[in-house]
Amino acid sequence: MTATESAQAVPPSWQPALGGVLATPEARRLGGWLKAEEAAGKNIFPPRGSRLRALELTPLDNVKVVILGQDPYHGPGQAHGLAFSVPEGVKVPPSLVNIYKELASDCGVSPPGHGNLEHWARQGVLLLNNSLTVQQGQAGSHQKRGWEAITDAAVAAAADKAEPCVFLLWGSHARKKAERVPGLANSHHLVLTAPHPSPLSAHSGFFGCRHFSRANEFLKAHGREPIDW
């Protein structure tokens, strides 16, 4: 996806926030680099047409909760544009298994039997990765190529919303990204932190964090519809 294609693909509600950054030389270099990588025969995930899926399913006007991931899953058929989510029919990844475990413990919600989180996104849960593409089999391979400026702008736009929102920051990478948004920690939003839900760290404080119920309690207290997790 070129920078021009990205700008055209950005949903209307996000265009004022992202239009400027998509017009920068850095964004143009990102678009050219991605095109060259694909021309060289490298498999890039997710496929074109779904790289801005998080913004498409969750318009800025609808954002209630922000969940930040690092980069897309790098296995075939896994990534479809939403952090932590996989299409139905794809094995649920370990981190999402642990997310479902905490959700069951916190809210009594049984795992749905699939890993597709589009129903969260459509309710206002922005499932945004730091990088929106990755090369097959190489985690983190598209970091520091230009996506960060674009996704930082999206997070900043959510933080600028007048309506109170919830930011769920799981792991140091998500916390560092949120720290790049001036004033978020002292804003009218609720910012909750916990270790990453991966098997390596979930037992260090992700389990028992109760982020899902705490998010809904905050939304209801501020007159917003809670999330049907």
Side-chain angles (χ1 to χ4, degrees), residues 50 95 105-106 110 114 116 133 150 189 213 225:
S50 59
S95 291
S105 173
D106 185 16
S110 299
H114 62 78
N116 192 330
T133 54
I150 296 169
H189 303 300
S213 62
E225 190 73 20

mmCIF file of all heavy atoms in Angstrom, residues 50 95 105-106 110 114 116 133 150 189 213 225:
data_model
loop_
_atom_site.group_PDB
_atom_site.id
_atom_site.type_symbol
_atom_site.label_atom_id
_atom_site.label_comp_id
_atom_site.label_asym_id
_atom_site.label_seq_id
_atom_site.Cartn_x
_atom_site.Cartn_y
_atom_site.Cartn_z
ATOM 1 N N SER A 50 -6.648 -4.858 4.138
ATOM 2 C CA SER A 50 -7.033 -5.068 5.537
ATOM 3 C C SER A 50 -6.054 -4.437 6.520
ATOM 4 O O SER A 50 -6.205 -4.591 7.727
ATOM 5 C CB SER A 50 -7.150 -6.569 5.834
ATOM 6 O OG SER A 50 -5.936 -7.240 5.585
ATOM 7 N N SER A 95 -1.565 -15.610 23.343
ATOM 8 C CA SER A 95 -1.897 -14.375 24.068
ATOM 9 C C SER A 95 -3.399 -14.167 24.141
ATOM 10 O O SER A 95 -3.927 -13.747 25.183
ATOM 11 C CB SER A 95 -1.229 -13.170 23.402
ATOM 12 O OG SER A 95 0.165 -13.202 23.571
ATOM 13 N N SER A 105 -12.552 -15.055 33.945
ATOM 14 C CA SER A 105 -12.401 -14.871 35.381
ATOM 15 C C SER A 105 -12.999 -13.547 35.846
ATOM 16 O O SER A 105 -13.643 -13.479 36.902
ATOM 17 C CB SER A 105 -10.914 -14.925 35.733
ATOM 18 O OG SER A 105 -10.694 -14.601 37.090
ATOM 19 N N ASP A 106 -12.824 -12.518 35.047
ATOM 20 C CA ASP A 106 -13.252 -11.172 35.417
ATOM 21 C C ASP A 106 -14.747 -10.968 35.244
ATOM 22 O O ASP A 106 -15.423 -10.422 36.124
ATOM 23 C CB ASP A 106 -12.472 -10.167 34.567
ATOM 24 C CG ASP A 106 -12.738 -8.726 34.930
ATOM 25 O OD1 ASP A 106 -13.277 -8.461 36.024
ATOM 26 O OD2 ASP A 106 -12.402 -7.845 34.123
ATOM 27 N N SER A 110 -17.611 -16.760 28.608
ATOM 28 C CA SER A 110 -16.999 -17.980 28.091
ATOM 29 C C SER A 110 -16.294 -17.704 26.774
ATOM 30 O O SER A 110 -16.792 -16.916 25.953
ATOM 31 C CB SER A 110 -18.067 -19.066 27.884
ATOM 32 O OG SER A 110 -18.696 -19.376 29.107
ATOM 33 N N HIS A 114 -13.423 -19.067 18.876
ATOM 34 C CA HIS A 114 -12.663 -18.513 17.758
ATOM 35 C C HIS A 114 -11.919 -17.280 18.257
ATOM 36 O O HIS A 114 -12.140 -16.819 19.375
ATOM 37 C CB HIS A 114 -13.584 -18.150 16.581
ATOM 38 C CG HIS A 114 -14.606 -17.099 16.917
ATOM 39 N ND1 HIS A 114 -14.311 -15.754 16.990
ATOM 40 C CD2 HIS A 114 -15.928 -17.209 17.228
ATOM 41 C CE1 HIS A 114 -15.392 -15.076 17.304
ATOM 42 N NE2 HIS A 114 -16.394 -15.923 17.465
ATOM 43 N N ASN A 116 -11.713 -14.218 16.492
ATOM 44 C CA ASN A 116 -12.078 -13.018 15.740
ATOM 45 C C ASN A 116 -12.687 -11.978 16.680
ATOM 46 O O ASN A 116 -13.767 -12.206 17.250
ATOM 47 C CB ASN A 116 -13.066 -13.388 14.632
ATOM 48 C CG ASN A 116 -13.275 -12.264 13.637
ATOM 49 O OD1 ASN A 116 -13.172 -11.097 13.988
ATOM 50 N ND2 ASN A 116 -13.565 -12.601 12.393
ATOM 51 N N THR A 133 2.052 -3.790 9.456
ATOM 52 C CA THR A 133 2.443 -4.883 8.567
ATOM 53 C C THR A 133 3.629 -5.615 9.183
ATOM 54 O O THR A 133 4.311 -5.103 10.080
ATOM 55 C CB THR A 133 2.843 -4.388 7.158
ATOM 56 O OG1 THR A 133 3.861 -3.388 7.275
ATOM 57 C CG2 THR A 133 1.654 -3.827 6.398
ATOM 58 N N ILE A 150 2.249 7.004 12.148
ATOM 59 C CA ILE A 150 0.840 6.930 11.763
ATOM 60 C C ILE A 150 -0.003 6.428 12.927
ATOM 61 O O ILE A 150 -1.045 7.016 13.260
ATOM 62 C CB ILE A 150 0.683 6.029 10.528
ATOM 63 C CG1 ILE A 150 1.420 6.646 9.327
ATOM 64 C CG2 ILE A 150 -0.794 5.810 10.199
ATOM 65 C CD1 ILE A 150 1.550 5.721 8.138
ATOM 66 N N HIS A 189 -9.298 10.496 30.701
ATOM 67 C CA HIS A 189 -9.454 9.099 30.333
ATOM 68 C C HIS A 189 -8.959 8.189 31.458
ATOM 69 O O HIS A 189 -8.198 8.609 32.341
ATOM 70 C CB HIS A 189 -8.669 8.801 29.060
ATOM 71 C CG HIS A 189 -9.041 9.668 27.894
ATOM 72 N ND1 HIS A 189 -10.316 9.703 27.368
ATOM 73 C CD2 HIS A 189 -8.300 10.541 27.156
ATOM 74 C CE1 HIS A 189 -10.342 10.555 26.348
ATOM 75 N NE2 HIS A 189 -9.137 11.073 26.206
ATOM 76 N N SER A 213 -13.815 -5.566 33.352
ATOM 77 C CA SER A 213 -14.893 -5.047 34.207
ATOM 78 C C SER A 213 -14.615 -3.607 34.616
ATOM 79 O O SER A 213 -15.546 -2.778 34.691
ATOM 80 C CB SER A 213 -15.062 -5.935 35.443
ATOM 81 O OG SER A 213 -13.886 -5.938 36.239
ATOM 82 N N GLU A 225 -22.104 3.583 26.836
ATOM 83 C CA GLU A 225 -22.531 2.187 26.771
ATOM 84 C C GLU A 225 -21.349 1.271 27.007
ATOM 85 O O GLU A 225 -20.281 1.424 26.396
ATOM 86 C CB GLU A 225 -23.139 1.908 25.389
ATOM 87 C CG GLU A 225 -23.825 0.572 25.264
ATOM 88 C CD GLU A 225 -25.160 0.516 26.005
ATOM 89 O OE1 GLU A 225 -25.733 1.603 26.281
ATOM 90 O OE2 GLU A 225 -25.618 -0.603 26.267
#
